[in-house]
């Protein structure tokens, strides 16, 4: 019993060291999870959940489990290491949660696919807005297929398509792809449009003319 006070500073230092070493991964996970959950759902993870998560990860790492031995289970080292892990995880979670609450939600995956045309490229025909989509850049060959013939490449480059302007870009792309498949019997085609109605075309020649590589 008389040896504990003399060993206490060493136990404290070892506890701090082991807590910092073991707490890095739980803190990173807690901070990242706190940010993602708050940013995408607006919900804050309860502190108890953070505690359970941090201790579980630390145990899986083997850091804290390695300390739980009969010879040191009663020493201050284990308690200090656990407290350090929990403090790191709670602090990281708090910072991640705060960042998730303050960061503007400017984009989402759904909104990214629902982008629409810029207003200055919309033409009013009567009371209906329309847009004329034209190719931009070179007509590229689809990977895995033979190259397009010069005449087909020229025909695609000279094309233009008039479509309703109130559709999202993803729908406009799909409609142009369908038209090109129908008009030119393309084996495959991929369209990427920007907000100004400019289409990048990647296409494969008609399936009945050349064998696929």
């Amino acid at each position: 019993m008389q040896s504990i006070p003399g060993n206490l500073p060493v136990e404290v230092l070892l506890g701090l060291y082991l807590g910092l070493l073991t707490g890095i991964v739980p803190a990173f996970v807690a901070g990242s999870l706190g940010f993602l959950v708050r940013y995408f759902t607006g919900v804050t993870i309860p502190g108890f959940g953070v505690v359970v998560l941090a201790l579980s990860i630390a145990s899986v790492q083997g850091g804290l489990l390695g300390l739980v031995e009969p010879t040191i289970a009663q020493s201050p080292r284990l308690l200090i290491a656990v407290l350090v892990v929990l403090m790191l995880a709670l602090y990281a979670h708090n910072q991640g949660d705060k960042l998730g609450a303050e960061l503007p939600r400017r984009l989402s995956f759904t909104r990214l696919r629902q982008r629409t045309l810029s207003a200055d490229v919309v033409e009013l025909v009567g009371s209906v807005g329309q847009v004329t989509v034209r190719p931009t850049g070179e007509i590229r060959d689809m990977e895995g297929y033979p190259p397009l013939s010069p005449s087909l490449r020229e025909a695609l480059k000279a094309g233009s398509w008039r479509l309703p302007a109130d559709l999202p870009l993803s729908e406009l792309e799909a409609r142009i792809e369908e038209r090109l498949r129908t008009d030119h019997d393309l084996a495959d085609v991929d369209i990427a449009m920007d907000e100004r109605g400019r289409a990048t075309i990647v296409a494969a020649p008609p399936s009945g003319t050349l064998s696929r590589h």
Side-chain angles (χ1 to χ4, degrees):
M1 297 295 296
Q2 299 299 322
S3 62
I4 293 179
N7 292 333
L8 186 58
V10 176
E11 291 292 328
V12 170
L13 290 176
L14 285 174
L16 291 174
Y17 169 75
L18 292 172
L20 290 172
L21 188 65
T22 310
I24 293 175
V25 174
F28 176 78
V29 174
S32 301
L33 194 60
F35 166 75
L36 292 173
V37 172
R38 184 60 183 271
Y39 183 79
F40 288 105
T41 68
V43 176
T44 298
I45 300 176
F48 177 75
V50 178
V51 169
V52 173
L53 176 67
L55 291 179
S56 300
I57 295 174
S59 298
V60 170
Q61 283 183 280
L64 290 182
L65 285 180
L67 296 176
V68 184
E69 298 177 1
T71 56
I72 61 173
Q74 303 300 322
S75 69
R77 185 188 315 175
L78 176 62
L79 177 61
I80 293 172
V82 170
L83 290 176
V84 170
V85 169
L86 295 182
M87 286 190 296
L88 286 174
L90 289 170
Y91 176 79
H93 168 261
N94 182 63
Q95 295 303 309
D97 184 81
K98 184 184 299 184
L99 181 62
E102 295 175 353
L103 194 66
R105 295 175 177 81
R106 294 182 178 178
L107 288 177
S108 67
F109 295 114
T110 302
R111 288 180 58 192
L112 195 61
R113 291 302 300 163
Q114 297 301 318
R115 293 177 303 152
T116 55
L117 293 163
S118 176
D120 57 359
V121 300
V122 176
E123 307 168 18
L124 286 178
V125 179
S127 59
V128 179
Q130 293 190 339
V131 62
T132 300
V133 180
R134 293 183 174 86
T136 183
E138 295 298 322
I139 307 299
R140 294 159 49 195
D141 296 318
M142 181 78 68
E143 185 176 352
Y145 289 88
L148 299 169
S149 66
S151 59
L152 179 55
R153 196 184 304 274
E154 188 63 31
L156 293 175
K157 190 173 181 62
S160 64
W161 306 274
R162 200 170 187 83
L163 297 166
D166 59 345
L167 298 175
L169 294 186
S170 57
E171 179 63 24
L172 293 173
E173 291 167 350
R175 292 196 180 192
I176 296 174
E177 289 171 358
E178 184 61 32
R179 286 193 185 183
L180 291 179
R181 287 191 183 95
T182 302
D183 295 344
H184 301 282
D185 195 27
L186 298 177
D188 199 2
V189 61
D190 182 71
I191 302 293
M193 278 184 58
D194 62 17
E195 288 86 350
R196 301 196 62 80
R198 296 172 297 197
T200 301
I201 301 177
V202 181
S207 55
T209 58
L210 292 171
S211 61
R212 184 174 176 178
H213 285 180

